[in-house]
């Protein structure tokens, strides 16, 4: 049989040459498609359930959130273990499955059983949610958003955080292989209504009245339509607040025909949400983000897509603001690959020298 193959190869050199070229092209293409990473991801097959409850201490988080979630997940099949962490305002339950369990099926089962847990958690305490499909090695791109020299006063940390949340993060979402974009640093901008208790008491208005007025006066409503041949007029009210002045002019109550406005009993201002950490660059306050990769995705390919999108996002940023990456996964991959190639080459030369 081998004699026939050798004879055919000698007699049909052109065909054999084409097959060899095709195999070389296919090999190069396959080599480029291999997902190469700096370090192997050995994370087990797991689903995390996260519940945020800022009003509860550690003991109450364990009692009212973590325990109901764990009990509701006990009957899932192909389960290896359930472990949990309860902290002030935070509950994290990790459900580990067998390696042959499909991850998306596992998440579907966890989502179904979480409905039972939600019924056992007190109202207003918190809602369990599944973490994105990523791992500790999913951080492929980290960056800071900073003002250029001369624009520092124009873009404080609060303004940079707003740019990150509303411009950069939204455009980075939707890239193939990206499951989440996390924000770090800065201050979350808030509209604050600082109520004066003495004014409320003197007028006879409770804090509940102020809260209800703010809640009920910040929405759009529809009023159907009016037909007036040959036209039809659609009716709607635009009540969403758009500025501090709109909040100040919300009516809380009417006394003796005179409306009592928010600005009569409170001070409306911009504020900052409480935070538990910060991001610094060269010892100064900074704002940044972290791009998380889908578990099992090709880190090099996903990083290339993120870098291309960052170039587009840079064009849409306000003048004087730049995105500066400081951790990019493809640099780690290329460094690790280069180290491996160098070691193999030196090892091969060493062995060859010893054999000679």
């Amino acid at each position: 049989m081998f004699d026939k193959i050798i004879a055919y190869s000698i007699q049909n050199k052109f065909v054999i040459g084409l097959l060899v070229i095709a195999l070389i092209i296919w090999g190069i293409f396959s080599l480029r498609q291999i997902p190469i990473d700096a370090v192997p991801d050995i994370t087990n097959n797991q689903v995390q359930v996260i519940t945020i409850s800022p009003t509860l201490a550690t003991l109450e988080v364990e009692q009212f959130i973590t325990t109901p979630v764990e009990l509701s997940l006990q009957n899932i099949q192909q389960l290896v273990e359930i472990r949990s962490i309860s902290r002030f305002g935070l509950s994290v339950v990790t459900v580990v499955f067998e390696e042959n369990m499909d991850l998306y099926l596992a998440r579907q089962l966890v989502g179904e059983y979480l409905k039972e847990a939600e019924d056992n958690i007190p109202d207003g305490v918190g809602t369990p949610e599944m973490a994105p499909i990523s791992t500790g090695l999913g951080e492929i791109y980290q960056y800071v958003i900073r003002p250029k020299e001369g624009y520092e006063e124009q873009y404080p940390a609060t303004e940079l955080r707003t740019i990150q949340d509303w411009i950069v993060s939204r455009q980075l979402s939707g890239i193939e292989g990206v499951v989440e974009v996390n924000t770090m640093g800065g201050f979350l901008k808030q509209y604050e209504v600082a109520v004066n208790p003495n004014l409320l008491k003197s007028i006879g208005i409770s804090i509940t009245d102020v809260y209800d007025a703010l809640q009920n006066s910040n929405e759009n409503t529809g009023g159907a339509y009016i037909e007036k041949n040959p036209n039809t007029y659609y009716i709607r009210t635009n009540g969403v607040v758009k500025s501090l002045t709109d909040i100040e002019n919300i009516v809380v109550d009417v006394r003796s025909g005179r409306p009592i406005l928010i600005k009569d009993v409170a001070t409306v201002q911009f504020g900052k949400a409480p935070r538990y950490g910060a991001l610094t660059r060269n010892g100064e306050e900074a704002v940044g983000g972290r791009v998380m990769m889908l578990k099992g995705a090709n880190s090099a390919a996903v990083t290339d897509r993120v870098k291309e999108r960052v170039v587009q996002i840079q064009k849409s940023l306000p003048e004087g603001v730049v995105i500066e990456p400081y951790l990019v996964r493809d640099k780690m991959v290329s460094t690790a690959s280069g180290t491996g190639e160098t070691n193999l080459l030196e090892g091969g030369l060493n062995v060859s020298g010893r054999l000679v």
Side-chain angles (χ1 to χ4, degrees), residues 107-165:
R107 292 177 65 87
Q108 179 182 346
L109 293 174
V110 171
E112 293 175 357
Y113 280 89
L114 280 182
K115 297 298 182 182
E116 178 184 344
E118 293 176 4
D119 296 336
N120 296 326
I121 295 176
D123 295 336
V125 171
T127 303
E129 297 179 352
M130 285 185 288
I133 309 175
S134 188
T135 67
L137 296 175
E139 303 176 4
I140 61 171
Y141 195 91
Q142 296 186 26
Y143 59 92
V144 294
I145 300 176
R146 63 174 183 85
K148 295 180 180 178
E149 185 176 356
Y151 291 87
E152 291 83 1
E153 298 296 330
Q154 185 176 348
Y155 298 103
T158 303
E159 185 65 25
L160 293 175
R161 171 65 181 264
T162 302
I163 294 174
Q164 158 64 16
D165 290 338

Side-chain angles (χ1 to χ4, degrees), residues 45-265:
N45 201 11
Q46 63 176 235
V47 177
Q48 283 192 325
V49 180
I50 301 175
T51 309
I52 299 176
S53 181
T55 60
L56 296 185
T58 303
L59 181 61
E60 285 73 27
V61 169
E62 178 71 24
Q63 180 180 358
F64 296 121
I65 299 178
T66 304
T67 299
V69 171
E70 287 183 339
L71 293 177
S72 66
L73 300 175
Q74 292 288 340
N75 294 325
I76 298 181
Q77 300 302 306
Q78 299 189 30
L79 190 66
V80 176
E81 66 173 352
I82 299 178
R83 58 178 185 267
S84 63
I85 298 176
S86 297
R87 294 288 185 270
F88 182 85
L90 176 66
S91 169
V92 179
V93 179
T94 303
V95 188
V96 181
F97 293 88
E98 296 179 0
E99 290 300 325
N100 60 351
M101 180 70 164
D102 182 73
L103 182 57
Y104 292 96
L105 175 60
R107 292 177 65 87
Q108 179 182 346
L109 293 174
V110 171
E112 293 175 357
Y113 280 89
L114 280 182
K115 297 298 182 182
E116 178 184 344
E118 293 176 4
D119 296 336
N120 296 326
I121 295 176
D123 295 336
V125 171
T127 303
E129 297 179 352
M130 285 185 288
I133 309 175
S134 188
T135 67
L137 296 175
E139 303 176 4
I140 61 171
Y141 195 91
Q142 296 186 26
Y143 59 92
V144 294
I145 300 176
R146 63 174 183 85
K148 295 180 180 178
E149 185 176 356
Y151 291 87
E152 291 83 1
E153 298 296 330
Q154 185 176 348
Y155 298 103
T158 303
E159 185 65 25
L160 293 175
R161 171 65 181 264
T162 302
I163 294 174
Q164 158 64 16
D165 290 338
W166 292 91
I167 300 179
V168 180
S169 178
R170 293 178 176 234
Q171 295 189 56
L172 285 175
S173 300
I175 300 176
E176 183 182 354
V178 173
V179 294
E180 189 178 39
V181 180
N182 297 323
T183 299
M184 302 179 293
F187 298 94
L188 180 61
K189 185 177 180 180
Q190 289 184 336
Y191 290 81
E192 292 183 350
V193 179
V195 180
N196 190 325
N198 295 327
L199 291 177
L200 289 181
K201 185 177 180 179
S202 63
I203 299 175
I205 295 177
S206 65
I207 188 67
T208 304
D209 297 331
V210 177
Y211 181 83
D212 291 340
L214 291 171
Q215 186 178 31
N216 297 330
S217 300
N218 186 28
E219 61 180 357
N220 294 338
T221 58
Y225 60 91
I226 297 176
E227 290 187 359
K228 189 174 182 180
N229 293 331
N231 299 321
T232 300
Y233 299 92
Y234 292 92
I235 303 173
R236 62 186 293 266
T237 58
N238 189 359
V240 175
V241 296
K242 299 180 179 179
S243 63
L244 296 179
T245 303
D246 293 341
I247 300 176
E248 292 176 340
N249 293 328
I250 292 177
V251 178
V252 180
D253 199 357
V254 178
R255 301 288 177 85
S256 301
R258 178 181 178 278
I260 299 176
L261 307 179
I262 290 291
K263 63 182 179 181
D264 296 329
V265 296

Side-chain angles (χ1 to χ4, degrees), residues 1-47:
M1 179 178 178
F2 289 104
D3 294 337
K4 294 182 179 179
I5 295 176
I6 294 173
Y8 179 83
S9 302
I10 295 175
Q11 296 174 2
N12 300 274
K13 298 178 181 179
F14 180 74
V15 176
I16 298 302
L18 291 178
L19 291 176
V20 171
I21 294 174
L23 286 174
I24 293 174
I25 295 175
W26 177 73
I28 295 175
F29 174 78
S30 300
L31 182 63
R32 295 178 61 87
Q33 301 302 314
I34 295 177
I36 302 175
D37 210 333
V39 291
D41 191 346
I42 58 174
T43 306
N44 51 16
N45 201 11
Q46 63 176 235
V47 177

Side-chain angles (χ1 to χ4, degrees), residues 219-355:
E219 61 180 357
N220 294 338
T221 58
Y225 60 91
I226 297 176
E227 290 187 359
K228 189 174 182 180
N229 293 331
N231 299 321
T232 300
Y233 299 92
Y234 292 92
I235 303 173
R236 62 186 293 266
T237 58
N238 189 359
V240 175
V241 296
K242 299 180 179 179
S243 63
L244 296 179
T245 303
D246 293 341
I247 300 176
E248 292 176 340
N249 293 328
I250 292 177
V251 178
V252 180
D253 199 357
V254 178
R255 301 288 177 85
S256 301
R258 178 181 178 278
I260 299 176
L261 307 179
I262 290 291
K263 63 182 179 181
D264 296 329
V265 296
T267 301
V268 183
Q269 59 193 5
F270 290 117
K272 305 169 184 176
R275 63 176 186 173
Y276 300 97
L279 178 68
T280 60
R281 175 182 176 271
N282 296 332
E284 298 180 357
E285 179 79 24
V287 178
R290 178 192 298 117
V291 180
M292 302 298 295
M293 180 185 68
L294 176 69
K295 179 181 179 182
N298 189 333
S299 62
V302 178
T303 303
D304 289 339
R305 300 188 195 106
V306 173
K307 291 167 65 176
E308 293 176 1
R309 183 66 60 86
V310 168
V311 174
Q312 300 177 8
I313 297 174
Q314 185 64 60
K315 300 176 182 178
S316 65
L317 294 180
E319 183 182 359
V321 179
V322 296
I323 299 176
E324 181 180 311
Y326 62 89
L327 189 151
V328 183
R329 177 67 66 83
D330 60 354
K331 293 182 180 179
M332 298 176 60
V333 173
S334 61
T335 301
S337 300
T339 302
E341 293 174 358
T342 301
N343 292 339
L344 289 175
L345 179 60
E346 293 178 353
L349 293 176
N350 187 18
V351 173
S352 301
R354 290 179 179 274
L355 292 176

